[in-house]
Amino acid sequence: MASAKITVNGKDYTVPVVEGVTLQFALRDDLGLTGTKFGCGMAECGCCTVLIDGSPVRSCITMVTDAIGKEITTIEGLAKGGVLHPLQQAWIDLQVPQCGYCQSGQLMEAAALLSRNPHPSEQEIRQAMQGHICRCGTYNRIVKAIQLAASRM
Ligand code: FES
Ligand code: FES
């Protein structure tokens, strides 16, 4: 079976490459990084979002082979040195999640946003996050948490 070397959260891994297998399944099934969730499988909901070289991608439609040689970051790699990312801390402080299913994707998108725009306006936040569906309706708390994290960074 063919294999591919990928770098996830700063560590190198070798994963099997089977035709049609997505990055999402490699992360979850091969590496056990189950913080990345499976929702629609069609790039519609955002819950599978991870970062590739700092940019948010939908891992449910990204092939493993498209991630070779690039730096993948998942929710498990957002905290550094045992310290939560300011977004994670803000999420806790404002009690953002309800069921939580969408939240790892939301956090990864928000992390990418603050990397490219450290002080986004409310409109810029809503625009960046608009592709993420939350069945629990936590949208307003997400906006407030991103603003709180930005104010602390
Ligand atoms: S599971 Fe990838 S966007 Fe919904
Ligand atoms: S917190 Fe339940 S789907 Fe978003």
Side-chain angles (χ1 to χ4, degrees), residues 68-107:
I68 294 171
K70 298 172 182 168
E71 180 65 41
I72 303 157
T73 308
T74 70
I75 188 68
E76 290 89 349
L78 202 54
K80 298 286 182 226
V83 179
L84 292 178
H85 188 286
L87 283 163
Q88 293 173 301
Q89 190 60 56
W91 248 241
I92 292 169
D93 292 345
L94 298 186
Q95 298 185 25
V96 170
Q98 191 162 317
C99 81
Y101 200 82
C102 72
Q103 298 294 332
S104 55
Q106 306 267 15
L107 277 160

Side-chain angles (χ1 to χ4, degrees), residues 2 6 19 26 40 54 103:
I6 58 174
E19 188 176 351
C40 63
Q103 298 294 332

Side-chain angles (χ1 to χ4, degrees), residues 120-136:
S121 66
E122 179 175 340
Q123 185 181 0
E124 288 170 330
I125 292 171
R126 290 191 186 277
Q127 191 167 7
M129 304 302 295
Q130 67 182 356
H132 288 260
I133 295 171
C134 175
R135 289 171 63 100
C136 302

